[in-house]
Amino acid sequence: MTPGGAGVAQRHDQPTGGPAGLIGTGYELGGARGARSAVVDGPYGGDDGTHGPDDASRGRDGDGRRPLMTHGSAGDDGPGPGGDISTALAARTAEEVLAGYLHQQSADFLRSLRLHRESGSDAEGAGEAARQLRRAARRISATLHTFHPLTEEAWADQLRSELGWLSGTLAREQACAARRERLMAALQRLTGRGERPDRSDRSDRSDRQSRPDRGKRGDRTTTSSATGPAASTAGTSTATSSTPAADPDDGALAAGAARAGALLDRQLTLARTRAHSAALQALGSSRFHAVADSVAVLASEAPLARTAAERSAGEALPPLAEQAHRRLAEAVAALPLSRAGYPYNAAALSADQRQDAPWHQVRMLVRLSRYAREVIAPEYADTRLAEAGRALEWHRDAAEAAAAAAAAARTPRIAPATAYALGVLHADQRHEVEAARFAFGRVWLPRTPERKS
C-alpha cells in the first residue's frame, strides 16, 4: 500500500463508522496487562516462517477470533483438526506438553549461543545467531507467562525477567541497523535518486524527438534573420521557454536530503556502536552466565508445578491459551479500527506516543496468543496471527523510524533545508504507520462476502 500525500485529512462528509463488523472506537487498553513483561521487544526481521495467504472469512467467531478448535469442531471446509488436537492433548499430561516445548526452545537457545560464540569475526553469522537466540528466549518467556499457574512461580518470574533483559539488550544493535537502512531507503525514494532519470534529461530527449530538425533549420533561421542584442534576447527567451520550471519543493528536498542522510547515518551508527558494546558487555557478564545456566537446567528439567503432572493437557492448557487470546481480542477492541479501516484517514500522521502505545501492546499480545497456540497445536499454525504480527511489526518499525527522524530534526543549528528534508521523511514514515494500521485491520476483521450481481 502506498502512503497518502501530506496533509490528508478526514472529509467532513465521510461517515465515522466503518462497514458492518468493525469494532473499537477508542485508544484505551482493555485487559492487556502483563504483555510487556511476557514478550520481550525487538525482533526486527520476524521470527516465523512465511505462511500462505490467510482466509480471513472462515473459522472466526463474532469478535474476529479464530477458535483453537480443541473439541472436534468442523468448519465450512469439512472436518477441522480439532478432533486430532483434542485426542492428542487428552492422551498426555500438561507437564509432558509444556516440558517438551520448553526443552525444545531451551535446546535452540543453547545451540544459538554456541553458534554466536563460534562466529568470531563473522558479523553476519553472529547477527543470525543472536536473532535465533532471541527467538528462543521470546518463546520461553511467553510460555512461562501464559501457562504461569502450571509453573513454579518464583522460578518462572525470575527467568522471564532475565530473558527479557537479555533479549532487549541484544535487540538494540539490530534495531539501529534496520532503522538506518529503512530511513536511507526512504530518503532515496522521496528524492527519486536511482529510480527515475533526471527531469532535464527527459525534457531534452522528448524535445529532440518532437523536433528532430531543430538543430539544423532553427539555428540557420536565427543566424540569418537576427543579429546583435536582438538575437541574444531571442535566443535567451527561446532557451527559457524550452526549459521546464523546477519544482521548488523538489529542489529544497534534494538540497537537504544529503545532509539529512549524513546526520541520520552519524546518529544511528553511533547508537549501533553503543548497542554493540553493550551487547558484548552483557554476553560476558556474570548475569548472562546465570541466565545461560538456568536455560541449561530448563533443557533437561522444567520446574513445573505438581498440578501439571496430575492434569491432562486437554483439560489444563486450552483454557489458559484461550485466556491469552481473549486478552488480545479485548485490546484489539479498544483500537480505532473503524477509522483505520479507511485508507488515507490521516489518523496516524500526528506522532503521539499515547496513540502508538496501544498498537504496540496489541503486537505483543498477538505474539502471546501465537506462541500459546504453538504449544498446544504446533502443526496447526494460525496464519492470520502471523500476518497480523507482521503488520504490527511494520507499524512498530515505521513509528520508531519517524521518531528517529524527528529526533534528528531537533539537532541544534542545522540548516533549514536539512530540517525540511527530515520533516518530509518524518511525514512519510507516519504515513507508513497509517498504512500498517489499515493492513492490520484488513487481516484481523472478518471480510464480508461480495454480493453477486
Side-chain angles (χ1 to χ4, degrees):
M1 173 180 175
T2 57
V8 178
Q10 182 79 12
R11 291 175 49 187
H12 69 280
D13 58 342
Q14 184 175 359
T16 57
L22 296 181
I23 56 177
T25 55
Y27 292 98
E28 300 81 14
L29 289 175
R33 296 174 294 180
R36 186 169 297 277
S37 62
V39 181
V40 289
D41 199 9
Y44 287 91
D47 58 354
D48 57 338
T50 302
H51 301 286
D54 177 44
D55 185 355
S57 62
R58 290 180 294 186
R60 310 268 168 76
D61 52 17
D63 60 357
R65 296 182 297 151
R66 183 191 298 277
L68 289 176
M69 298 174 65
T70 56
H71 302 289
S73 57
D76 296 338
D77 298 334
D84 296 337
I85 297 176
S86 179
T87 303
L89 292 178
R92 305 171 65 189
T93 64
E95 181 182 31
E96 292 174 347
V97 175
L98 283 180
Y101 185 82
L102 290 173
H103 292 341
Q104 176 187 352
Q105 299 304 324
S106 301
D108 291 344
F109 181 97
L110 297 175
R111 187 183 306 108
S112 302
L113 179 59
R114 187 188 72 250
L115 292 176
H116 189 276
R117 290 173 176 171
E118 295 175 351
S119 60
S121 60
D122 183 8
E124 184 177 356
E128 179 61 26
R131 279 190 290 271
Q132 295 299 324
L133 190 148
R134 295 200 316 274
R135 177 183 184 273
R138 284 194 301 270
R139 281 163 166 77
I140 295 173
S141 179
T143 302
L144 295 178
H145 173 79
T146 301
F147 303 100
H148 191 263
L150 301 176
T151 64
E152 293 183 4
E153 296 185 0
W155 169 85
D157 292 341
Q158 175 69 16
L159 183 56
R160 275 172 42 211
S161 175
E162 294 303 292
L163 288 174
W165 160 76
L166 175 62
S167 184
T169 302
L170 296 180
R172 295 191 188 102
E173 180 183 359
Q174 188 181 356
C176 294
R179 197 171 302 135
R180 176 191 174 279
E181 182 179 356
R182 181 186 185 92
L183 289 173
M184 295 300 106
L187 271 177
Q188 291 183 358
R189 172 171 47 82
L190 291 171
T191 56
R193 290 178 295 175
E195 294 185 3
R196 61 174 183 260
D198 185 73
R199 184 177 299 178
S200 60
D201 294 342
R202 292 202 309 269
S203 176
D204 294 342
R205 186 162 55 250
S206 61
D207 196 27
R208 287 195 301 268
Q209 292 175 355
S210 61
R211 290 184 290 176
D213 58 343
R214 177 186 174 190
K216 300 178 180 179
R217 186 173 56 198
D219 291 344
R220 286 199 306 269
T221 304
T222 303
T223 303
S224 60
S225 61
T227 57
S232 62
T233 303
T236 303
S237 61
T238 303
T240 303
S241 61
S242 63
T243 303
D247 190 342
D249 291 339
D250 289 349
L253 180 59
R259 291 184 178 181
L263 177 60
L264 287 169
D265 179 70
R266 191 162 56 248
Q267 292 182 348
L268 293 175
T269 301
L270 177 60
R272 181 182 182 181
T273 302
R274 291 174 176 172
H276 181 72
S277 300
L280 292 178
Q281 184 178 1
L283 291 174
S285 64
S286 59
R287 183 178 181 180
F288 168 74
H289 290 296
V291 176
D293 291 342
S294 298
V295 176
V297 172
L298 186 62
S300 58
E301 181 181 358
L304 301 176
R306 182 178 301 176
T307 55
E310 299 173 351
R311 301 176 61 185
S312 69
E315 176 188 357
L317 300 183
L320 296 175
E322 286 291 349
Q323 184 179 5
H325 206 107
R326 186 164 55 251
R327 286 196 296 266
L328 168 62
E330 292 172 356
V332 173
L335 296 177
L337 291 186
S338 58
R339 183 175 179 86
Y342 291 103
Y344 311 113
N345 57 75
L349 297 188
S350 61
D352 189 353
Q353 185 72 18
R354 294 170 299 177
Q355 179 194 136
D356 293 336
W359 295 86
H360 298 331
Q361 186 81 348
V362 168
R363 177 178 56 84
M364 289 181 284
L365 290 170
V366 165
R367 281 191 183 164
L368 281 178
S369 182
R370 184 160 60 87
Y371 295 161
R373 187 180 180 90
E374 282 186 6
V375 175
I376 295 179
E379 64 275 16
Y380 299 110
D382 193 336
T383 57
R384 174 168 155 273
L385 286 177
E387 290 180 9
R390 284 191 288 269
L392 292 174
E393 286 176 4
W394 173 21
H395 176 277
R396 185 271 317 277
D397 294 348
E400 292 184 352
R410 290 191 291 269
T411 303
R413 297 184 299 275
I414 60 175
T418 306
Y420 174 76
L422 291 171
V424 173
L425 183 61
H426 174 269
D428 173 76
Q429 293 303 302
R430 293 307 302 183
H431 277 294
E432 292 288 325
V433 170
E434 178 186 317
R437 294 179 182 179
F438 177 79
F440 172 78
R442 297 278 291 180
V443 171
W444 182 265
L445 296 174
R447 302 189 184 107
T448 56
E450 299 180 359
R451 295 182 179 180
K452 296 182 180 179
S453 57

